[in-house]
Amino acid sequence: MLAEILPPPAPDLSDARAVLQRVFGHSDFRGLQGDVVAHVLAGGDGLAVLPTGGGKSMCYQIPALLRPGVGLVVSPLIALMADQVEALRAAGVNAARLDSSMDWEARQAVFSAIQSGKLDLLYVSPEGLASGVLSERLGRMPVSLIAVDEAHCVSQWGHDFRPDYRRLGALHEAFPGVPRLAVTATADARTREDIRRQLHLMQAPEFVASFDRPNLILSTRRKDGRTQARILDLVEARRGLCGIIYVTARKETEELAATMRERGLDALAFHAQMPSDQKHAHLRRFQEEDGVVMVATIAFGMGIDKPDVRYVIHADPPKSIEAYWQEVGRAGRDGLPAEGIAFYGFSDRRFMADRIEGSPAPDEVKLVQRTKLNQLYAFLDGLACRRGGVRRYFGETQVEDCGQCDVCLNPDMGHDSSQWARMALSAVIRCEESFGRGRLIAHLTGTAPDGPLETRFATRTTFGIGKSLGKTGWRRVLDQLLFDGVLAEQNLDGFPVLAIACPDLARSVLKGEMTVMTREDPGETGRGRRAQTRVALREDLDTPTQTLFTALRAWRLETARQAGVPPYVVFHDSVLRQVALHRPTGLAELMAIAGIGEAKARRYGHAILQVLARSEFTLPQ
Ligand code: ADP
Ligand code: ZN
């Protein structure tokens, strides 16, 4: 296409800025938004990779409002399309969706709105648009652009491959000359390449923003014998805040949610096999209420765009760094501080590794999967800034430490445990690689022998040499040796036993040539229960402002209920915070707040000013 070969005309974004301000209430474009909008306005195809919360939707919504015809948006889930359409309508945009659940008349109404130029944005499912009938019909209508949201779903290298998306490759033939924009929040270089090939965007430029999410406060934690109790404590300490807990097993979603409810927490479960009415009910409650905790498998999430999710806890580790960033990225989309806490254990790693080895995938795929698994655990178990680690993984250079993650906040994280490691390795060797973890720890701590094997090895020199360290400490040391690949768990007569995985490494450790670093001091296990549950979200509003913010949120909840929409469709928390901070006294001042456009000021302005006026009498000055 000509637009790609010639340098694009100097973009004039003044119209686009005017729409941004009038409709969405934002004063200017952020990050790469302006570049992408200018490119699409000029009729160019593209691939935009912007972090979650980076404002991907503006990249196609603004051009769709400015270019003649309807903008088609391919979005993966029907339920979530509904919310997006709702949010657009609340901002005064003519938006609709088309899906298989609609009856004939409703569909005809959509088509005639397009024909008469009344519709600006139409959300469609991938399978809908890939079906010849619909694309042929729309192909004869004025289409301003096609946006493919969550475009990583097209690639098997991405983490959410959806075969339906593959068929979107035909769009360039069905809609010749219509600009196509693929957008996603997570795609490494390989996935980007694949997206462009699959969607016939090989000539199109990539717009790749920084993957940084400055408001995310990240930490990772090793699992131990009481992981579930630790998670309950974390949720308890965040009572009233909206959060997501990811677990692997479906059954566990229900059990953990039930345990939380017993504790009086507002928790719900979600997994793919749940009856669909229950799934919908839970999704709605999560979206529409303020402080629901969702205990879910990863079936929950794609396209969840509740802006005020304050934390995401991975009770089990994510599948890859891409998956992690996508999942943890669901927290804090409103830009306010939010937490990501990920638990992981050695058995999780082994499980994934076994799965890769046992899969029928071709060798080159396995090689990629193995590398990705190593990168994931280097990130989870490493001692480098977490946010920096993710950004480097996605290819960013010159990354600064975030200053907020568990590593940045604990500069002394990392403890030289070589001395304990030497004892453990000696014990493994002296006990002839025939003990599992529990028995080896009993041997090291000199606990009374209770079986023939224990008795036999009780005479060895390593018996009781580790008395000064507790069980938990020893577990940490053994875990570390497993993570470092010095030890491995092998199967002996159906039981897992600890064996030397790499004699060279073991020798280096024993000779003192190699240090073994554990995350925490194995000798210090009682510490940090408070630190563990510490809520990183600083509430920095003073009391009167906080009271006002609470009053505004109460008004929002009521308003949203009456309108039958989620509260964030009315206003995001970030907007209400600004209102509470600035206390505007009239409509003009109100509209100066980011996120309040014309339509919203008209609809809600007076009500907000009333809330402010009412509170003025009750607020301490
Ligand atoms: P994404 O889909 O990339 O996760 P959204 O499009 O949902 O992000 O936007 C995330 C948030 O950022 C929304 O609250 C949106 O209103 C806000 N936003 C988008 N663009 C801008 C902008 N230019 N200035 C200020 N806020 C913006
Ligand atoms: Zn950091």
Side-chain angles (χ1 to χ4, degrees), residues 20 26-30 33 50-58 305 333-334 572 594:
L20 182 71
H26 302 313
S27 57
D28 204 352
F29 289 113
R30 267 196 327 213
Q33 275 178 338
L50 268 62
T52 313
K56 283 181 289 298
S57 41
M58 296 292 143
D305 55 3
R333 293 176 67 126
D334 53 10
H572 282 189

Side-chain angles (χ1 to χ4, degrees), residues 8-244:
D12 174 15
L13 279 176
S14 48
D15 288 349
R17 273 200 195 90
V19 171
L20 182 71
Q21 173 70 58
R22 179 169 52 79
V23 178
F24 300 101
H26 302 313
S27 57
D28 204 352
F29 289 113
R30 267 196 327 213
L32 293 177
Q33 275 178 338
D35 295 345
V36 180
V37 168
H39 180 75
V40 177
L41 273 179
D45 296 335
L47 166 60
V49 187
L50 268 62
T52 313
K56 283 181 289 298
S57 41
M58 296 292 143
C59 294
Y60 51 83
Q61 287 171 357
I62 303 258
L65 289 174
L66 284 163
R67 287 174 62 91
V70 65
L72 304 179
V73 184
V74 182
S75 174
L77 289 178
I78 292 178
L80 300 154
M81 279 187 211
D83 288 339
Q84 277 156 352
V85 169
E86 209 65 67
L88 281 166
R89 288 192 179 151
V93 176
N94 292 316
R97 72 192 153 97
L98 206 52
D99 70 59
S100 46
S101 71
M102 291 162 59
D103 62 20
W104 187 83
E105 270 176 20
R107 294 170 76 87
Q108 292 314 306
V110 168
F111 289 126
S112 60
I114 300 175
Q115 208 74 65
S116 58
K118 283 201 196 110
L119 203 61
D120 286 316
L121 279 155
L122 179 65
Y123 283 73
V124 285
S125 63
E127 62 278 13
L129 197 57
S131 88
V133 193
L134 181 59
S135 70
E136 201 188 303
R137 180 146 194 199
L138 289 170
R140 282 182 266 118
M141 301 190 171
V143 174
S144 58
L145 60 87
I146 302 174
V148 179
D149 205 356
E150 313 282 4
H152 59 273
C153 294
V154 87
S155 168
Q156 61 164 326
W157 302 120
H159 52 90
D160 243 333
F161 176 51
R162 294 179 43 123
D164 282 340
Y165 263 66
R166 277 287 158 93
R167 296 168 60 199
L168 297 174
L171 288 180
H172 75 298
E173 281 163 3
F175 298 88
V178 174
R180 287 169 300 128
L181 178 70
V183 295
T184 172
T186 42
D188 60 4
R190 181 201 303 273
T191 309
R192 296 202 287 272
E193 171 78 14
D194 203 23
I195 293 174
R196 296 207 293 149
R197 197 176 27 247
Q198 301 292 341
L199 296 182
H200 297 271
L201 292 170
M202 287 315 277
Q203 306 300 319
E206 284 181 9
F207 300 85
V208 183
S210 163
F211 285 86
D212 198 13
R213 292 283 313 278
N215 59 320
L216 289 189
I217 301 159
L218 306 176
S219 64
T220 68
R221 295 165 195 209
R222 281 252 184 109
K223 289 185 181 179
D224 59 16
R226 42 183 306 280
T227 306
Q228 173 158 352
R230 286 161 73 197
I231 291 173
L232 286 171
D233 287 350
L234 288 167
V235 174
E236 183 82 59
R238 287 153 184 77
R239 194 178 270 274
L241 298 178
C242 175
I244 304 174

Side-chain angles (χ1 to χ4, degrees), residues 25 33 106 167 208 256 276 300 341 372 430 479 518 562 566:
Q33 275 178 338
R167 296 168 60 199
V208 183
L256 189 54
S276 87
F300 178 73
I341 302 169
K372 287 193 163 196
R430 295 265 187 276
D479 262 2
T518 48
Q562 281 172 13

Side-chain angles (χ1 to χ4, degrees), residues 384-388 401-409:
C385 169
R386 308 282 174 221
R387 188 142 32 90
D401 283 357
C402 77
Q404 293 180 305
C405 69
D406 55 342
V407 181
C408 288
L409 291 180

Side-chain angles (χ1 to χ4, degrees), residues 573-589:
D573 273 359
S574 50
V575 175
L576 296 186
R577 270 174 72 94
Q578 291 303 315
V579 173
L581 282 166
H582 296 295
R583 303 183 198 177
T585 52
L587 283 183
E589 273 180 49

